Amino acid sequence: MKILVVCGNGLGSSFIVEMNVKKALGELGIDAEVSHTDLATSKTEDADYYIGSQDIISNLDDGNRHIIPLVNLLNQQELKEALQKHIVTEG
């Protein structure tokens, strides 16, 4: 499974969220390849799930991609709950 964390510039916030995703997946016992990038690049990269803030991640929603929007990128509890909902429950 490949997860792509997306932010506007693909540098700061997406890198921090990538680290948090890896930590949360470890706690959930899920093995996945996780990386981060900017919004423009993410439009051409394939991934099983795309994670980002609600305001930009909706730009990737083409009806076929699995999008995981977050209200607060730095809220680890929200992130873990979103991963459980989208990956564990809906799988």
Side-chain angles (χ1 to χ4, degrees):
M1 171 186 341
K2 181 176 179 181
I3 298 173
L4 193 57
V5 180
V6 180
C7 74
N9 294 321
L11 299 172
S13 57
S14 61
F15 177 69
I16 293 169
V17 175
E18 175 189 347
M19 306 267 288
N20 291 336
V21 168
K22 289 178 177 176
K23 179 181 176 187
L25 290 174
E27 292 172 1
L28 295 169
I30 299 170
D31 186 33
E33 175 188 341
V34 183
S35 60
H36 68 279
T37 190
D38 63 279
L39 179 60
T41 303
S42 67
K43 292 181 179 181
T44 60
E45 283 198 38
D46 288 329
D48 296 300
Y49 293 94
Y50 298 85
I51 299 175
S53 65
Q54 284 183 328
D55 57 332
I56 69 163
I57 201 74
S58 61
N59 291 314
L60 292 175
D61 194 358
D62 64 359
N64 295 318
R65 292 182 171 151
H66 293 107
I67 305 295
I68 302 177
L70 299 173
V71 175
N72 181 349
L73 289 176
L74 302 179
N75 185 325
Q76 293 187 24
Q77 185 62 33
E78 178 189 2
L79 174 63
K80 192 171 182 178
E81 289 173 2
L83 291 171
Q84 284 179 312
K85 176 184 175 189
H86 291 277
I87 296 175
V88 176
T89 305
E90 296 173 0

